[in-house]
Amino acid sequence: MPDGTLMTGTKHTKDSKPVKKTGKVVLDGEEVKFKEGGLRNQLKVPKDYKFKKTDLKRLDKVKTGEMFKFLGKDFKKTPLMAKRISFALTLMGRK
């Protein structure tokens, strides 16, 4: 609190913060950690949405900094989004 007192109760514990889920995968003998649902959050799709390889390939062709449409919404491709799309394609190719 601003006056220096601590908030108490079950809703105000340090453990009550939402935990970001991370996944692990082994690529070329190296363990890679990633934030689950990162691309889904960035493209504002539901958690149960399944990306198609053709859609990801189309998004991969868009240059960084350009605008594009995905499921009727406008987005600007950022460097982080480019990395996530590339990573998703890599994981899809291995299955």
Side-chain angles (χ1 to χ4, degrees):
M1 299 294 297
D3 62 356
T5 60
L6 295 176
M7 296 172 74
T8 59
T10 58
K11 292 183 180 180
H12 304 291
T13 62
K14 289 182 182 179
D15 298 332
S16 65
K17 290 182 183 178
V19 178
K20 294 180 183 176
K21 292 186 180 180
T22 58
K24 294 179 187 176
V25 67
V26 178
L27 296 173
D28 297 328
E30 184 179 339
E31 188 176 281
V32 179
K33 294 180 184 178
F34 61 97
K35 186 168 103 176
E36 289 184 6
L39 184 59
R40 282 191 180 99
N41 290 338
Q42 229 173 356
L43 293 175
K44 299 178 184 171
V45 295
K47 287 184 179 183
D48 60 345
Y49 182 80
K50 296 286 184 187
F51 286 102
K52 296 178 186 101
K53 202 171 189 178
T54 55
D55 289 339
L56 290 176
K57 284 183 180 179
R58 182 179 62 85
L59 295 178
D60 196 35
K61 290 180 183 178
V62 176
K63 293 183 180 177
T64 303
E66 289 185 1
M67 298 294 289
F68 65 93
K69 276 192 177 259
F70 186 73
L71 298 178
K73 299 173 189 167
D74 292 326
F75 296 97
K76 184 176 182 179
K77 188 170 180 184
T78 62
L80 178 60
M81 187 183 292
K83 288 178 184 179
R84 287 177 173 167
I85 292 169
S86 176
F87 185 63
L89 283 169
T90 299
L91 292 179
M92 285 180 140
R94 294 198 168 268
K95 290 185 177 180

